[in-house]
Amino acid sequence: MAKLWGGRFNKESSKLLEQFNASLPFDYKLWHYDILGSKTHAKMLNKIGILMDEEYQKIIEGLECIAKKIKAGNFVFDIADEDIHMAIEKALIEEIGEVGKKLHTARSRNDQVALDFRMYVLDSNRQIQELIKKLMHTLLEIASKHTEDIMPGMTHLQHAQPINFGFHLVAWCANLKRDLERLSDSYKRNNYLPLGSGAMAGTPYKNDRVMMAKELGFIAPTLNAMDSVSDRDFALDLLYDLSVLMMHISRMAEELVLWSSYEFRFIRLSDDYATGSSIMPQKKNPDVPELLRGKSGRVFGNLMGLLVVMKGLPFAYNKDTQEDKEGVFDSVETLKISLEILNAMLENMEVCQENMLKMAQIGHLSATDLADFLVRECGIAFREAHHITGRVVAYAEQKGVDISLLDEEEILSIDSRIKSGVKEVLCLHASMNARDSLGGTATTQTREQILQLQQFLMDK
Ligand code: ARG
């Protein structure tokens, strides 16, 4: 069959043009939305009297038949059809004959593609939100088991203060909570129907856009036809949301790489989520978190790519916009598998709390607690307390142990002003639990944070 738009042309398209111009090799992924949109459009045409009941029935049956064929893998995608919209429209005409030619009344591919792509973006947004929730559940479950297990909290990647492992995982979850909120914000912002905008200026028919919006689950129709066919903010919003999410995943992945090294040994990745080396038989590599970190490159790139495509476009639709899809598909698919594998890897990883504790016993993490004890309990001025603490640290250094491991008598013998009871404040657990300000690392505070996040997930 000739091109659906071939009326004014005298020569056939060159093969090179077809190859260059087509979006079918990638936009076939929108087939489900295209059929859904067409069914709704047909229903609306029937309602406003453009399609008779029988014609409408025939079109619906034809579209359903095509959907079945595509699902079963029996549909032949022909690049000569250019895109998914024309591939399906042509198939419909082949399937049901002349009446199929009525479907495109009061519609343009410009509002059609804006609808299909928007529905894909919104559905993907939802699906990714579900995967984030699953990951948060997993993290919170691990966190609740480790709210008393000490690890070194770091700043500048240097030992800073003792925290519990659960607290660290809650910090990750706080990132993911914002990702969820960002996604649901952009979902709401973009949940408007562009169909019925026509090529750019609306249509001369009485398209019932309100009815179609309701039918397809949108809040309402979009405001302005010209904006509707040229706007790709909904895709940019998703690409940005996914970029920030991927940045968070990448930071978690970086810590998982560090933690699984011999230098840390805070975790052990399960064999089914680690890989070997082709030359070094002893090796177990954290390929999964490394790849998670690496894949952030393409996700950020996809955001930049679409921003550049859009930045110089005059209103309204321009063919450049066809370049909007592959990057979005890629980011969505990348995030889906990344979230899934990160979740599975965490579910299967072993937490080595003894090693975390051992590492927390390096660097005199409770030194500040000693100085505070001297101020509070011994009536010593802070500057002086700082000095005395320095001497205790020097003593421990000389002995080659952490101050948390010194005996009470040893400490008392360093300065007569130090009162008994000092051993307790030097203990890492006491130091961790002393930080019980709202949002702090104390076990009680960490548990409260876990509860709040669980509540948040239940309300979502
Ligand atoms: N394949 C096109 C795209 O992805 C569909 C819209 C084409 N419209 C047009 N007038 N050429 O953007």
Side-chain angles (χ1 to χ4, degrees):
M1 200 202 267
K3 295 271 185 282
L4 292 182
W5 41 250
R8 60 105 71 216
F9 287 77
N10 296 319
K11 267 171 98 178
E12 299 232 319
S13 301
S14 86
K15 287 286 162 228
L16 196 56
L17 174 281
E18 284 187 348
Q19 199 191 335
F20 184 67
N21 200 42
S23 50
L24 191 56
F26 48 88
D27 72 9
Y28 72 90
K29 288 187 180 167
L30 298 175
W31 72 265
H32 168 73
Y33 302 107
D34 197 73
I35 289 188
L36 191 62
S38 285
K39 281 166 125 182
T40 308
H41 180 68
K43 190 168 181 179
M44 185 278 295
L45 291 180
N46 177 231
K47 187 183 170 209
I48 64 171
I50 290 173
L51 288 178
M52 299 298 101
D53 290 351
E54 258 157 73
E55 294 173 323
Y56 167 58
Q57 271 319 318
K58 261 191 145 177
I59 286 177
I60 294 296
E61 279 160 28
L63 288 169
E64 276 167 5
C65 176
I66 292 167
K68 247 187 231 148
K69 271 194 199 159
I70 299 179
K71 235 188 229 158
N74 296 331
F75 189 88
V76 185
F77 290 104
D78 180 359
I79 200 169
D81 291 335
E82 195 176 319
D83 57 29
I84 188 65
H85 325 294
M86 289 200 290
I88 290 177
E89 193 186 334
K90 195 183 85 178
L92 180 71
I93 297 165
E94 277 165 7
E95 190 72 37
I96 63 171
E98 284 300 296
V99 56
K101 294 184 180 171
K102 292 195 173 183
L103 175 64
H104 209 54
T105 319
R107 184 175 75 171
S108 154
R109 265 189 301 156
N110 298 351
D111 57 347
Q112 193 177 353
V113 71
L115 170 73
D116 295 2
F117 193 35
R118 197 182 281 240
M119 286 198 285
Y120 169 87
V121 163
L122 292 174
D123 264 7
S124 304
N125 177 318
R126 275 264 163 83
Q127 289 158 9
I128 288 167
Q129 285 195 47
E130 287 311 310
L131 291 170
I132 297 176
K133 283 188 223 165
K134 204 166 130 199
L135 177 60
M136 286 177 76
H137 278 299
T138 301
L139 284 169
L140 292 175
E141 209 182 303
I142 305 173
S144 18
K145 290 186 194 139
H146 296 282
T147 55
E148 307 200 34
D149 294 327
I150 301 288
M151 73 185 288
M154 300 187 184
T155 62
H156 311 265
L157 204 61
Q158 305 288 326
H159 288 199
Q161 291 175 335
I163 58 173
N164 69 74
F165 184 54
F167 179 70
H168 198 115
L169 298 186
V170 171
W172 287 5
C173 282
N175 286 234
L176 294 170
K177 174 176 180 273
R178 288 191 296 276
D179 289 317
L180 272 180
E181 289 165 338
R182 227 183 316 277
L183 282 163
S184 53
D185 284 352
S186 65
Y187 191 99
K188 271 183 237 137
R189 180 164 48 254
N190 295 304
N191 193 15
Y192 293 89
L193 170 100
L195 193 64
S197 298
M200 63 162 289
T203 78
Y205 301 91
K206 292 260 167 299
N207 297 47
D208 189 342
R209 299 188 65 213
V210 174
M211 170 230 142
M212 290 195 290
K214 244 190 223 141
E215 191 86 8
L216 289 169
F218 290 97
I219 297 170
T222 49
L223 176 80
N224 171 283
M226 192 148 98
D227 171 56
S228 306
V229 293
S230 70
D231 166 37
R232 292 296 180 270
D233 290 2
F234 61 89
L236 286 166
D237 277 352
L238 184 70
L239 287 174
Y240 174 72
D241 295 350
L242 297 189
S243 292
V244 179
L245 171 59
M246 200 67 208
M247 178 271 286
H248 292 152
I249 290 176
S250 182
R251 290 184 71 180
M252 295 175 208
E254 164 65 9
E255 297 204 301
L256 292 171
V257 171
L258 286 174
W259 291 349
S260 58
S261 70
Y262 277 111
E263 284 65 27
F264 282 79
R265 301 218 129 211
F266 286 2
I267 54 161
R268 227 170 268 128
L269 296 178
S270 158
D271 277 359
D272 43 353
Y273 290 98
T275 50
S277 154
S278 58
I279 178 167
M280 297 167 282
Q282 82 285 11
K283 289 209 72 184
K284 181 166 157 184
N285 293 331
D287 280 22
V288 172
E290 289 172 78
L291 258 180
L292 287 171
R293 199 175 52 189
K295 281 182 187 293
S296 54
R298 64 201 292 160
V299 175
F300 302 166
N302 291 332
L303 170 62
M304 282 306 128
L306 185 55
L307 280 171
V308 174
V309 166
M310 296 307 294
K311 85 166 189 62
L313 297 186
F315 281 76
Y317 178 85
N318 298 273
K319 183 77 170 183
D320 315 44
T321 318
Q322 182 167 288
E323 288 292 310
D324 59 1
K325 286 175 236 1
E326 287 155 293
V328 172
F329 293 159
D330 182 67
S331 284
V332 166
E333 281 155 26
T334 301
L335 260 302
K336 279 186 181 170
I337 191 162
S338 296
L339 287 163
E340 255 176 87
I341 199 158
L342 176 55
N343 184 59
M345 191 173 58
L346 290 168
E347 278 177 335
N348 289 286
M349 107 191 153
E350 195 187 322
V351 179
C352 313
Q353 55 255 45
E354 330 73 51
N355 293 338
M356 292 182 180
L357 178 62
K358 242 184 256 159
M359 294 310 284
Q361 287 164 342
I362 300 174
H364 314 289
L365 296 188
S366 48
T368 321
D369 300 85
L370 173 55
D372 287 333
F373 173 81
L374 296 176
V375 170
R376 240 185 10 248
E377 305 295 327
C378 312
I380 300 172
F382 183 77
R383 188 49 57 214
E384 190 56 25
H386 190 286
H387 185 75
I388 297 171
T389 305
R391 281 180 34 231
V392 177
V393 168
Y395 173 84
E397 282 280 303
Q398 203 184 15
K399 205 180 162 195
V401 296
D402 190 70
I403 51 168
S404 64
L405 299 174
L406 293 176
D407 292 336
E408 171 109 357
E409 296 81 67
E410 277 180 292
I411 308 167
L412 294 182
S413 70
I414 294 171
D415 193 295
S416 60
R417 286 170 292 178
I418 307 177
K419 285 190 181 165
S420 59
V422 65
K423 170 74 185 160
E424 256 161 67
V425 287
L426 286 183
C427 145
L428 295 175
H429 266 95
S431 168
M432 183 266 287
N433 280 323
R435 290 180 173 72
D436 65 351
S437 54
L438 191 67
T441 190
T443 297
T444 47
Q445 286 297 331
T446 303
R447 291 208 177 120
E448 179 55 35
Q449 293 157 34
I450 292 172
L451 272 177
Q452 280 194 30
L453 287 169
Q454 281 164 340
Q455 191 59 49
F456 167 81
L457 287 176
M458 266 187 348
D459 297 342
K460 264 254 146 214

